[in-house]
Amino acid sequence: MSPLPPKPSSLIVPPGPVRAVVNKTASFVAKNGPSFESRILGSAQGSTPKFAFLQPTSPYHGYYQWRIEWFKAGGDLDLEAKQEEEEASRLREED
């Protein structure tokens, strides 16, 4: 397993509902390859706002690309959420 790529500070993180779709799509593309993305883009759904992040002009496209690499390197959303909660808890305790 490769080290997880760090999240560049310049990335624009999508809001919750969009982020969930981006993360799920990125995980499928990481697992199934770019042809999965091509199938979405070639379908009727590919031109909807739900999948706008697939377009290079989208402000969330960089986040999407980073997430693909993150999943390829073994990124795990459940583990990430647990680590974020532990960090938030630690910060609350310091206050």
Side-chain angles (χ1 to χ4, degrees), residues 12-79:
I12 300 172
V13 178
V18 176
R19 187 170 55 244
V21 174
V22 172
N23 288 340
K24 181 163 242 153
T25 304
S27 73
F28 284 130
V29 171
K31 182 179 178 183
N32 300 308
S35 63
F36 184 82
E37 180 182 312
S38 296
R39 283 191 303 231
I40 295 171
L41 287 169
S43 73
Q45 278 192 315
S47 61
T48 64
K50 180 179 181 177
F51 290 101
F53 63 86
L54 295 174
Q55 302 301 323
T57 55
S58 168
Y60 307 130
H61 188 73
Y63 177 85
Y64 166 66
Q65 292 293 314
W66 168 73
R67 273 298 194 200
I68 292 171
E69 295 307 313
W70 186 83
F71 282 117
K72 284 181 180 177
D76 180 309
L77 289 174
D78 292 333
L79 179 59

Side-chain angles (χ1 to χ4, degrees), residues 10 30 59 70 80:
S10 62
W70 186 83
E80 180 183 58

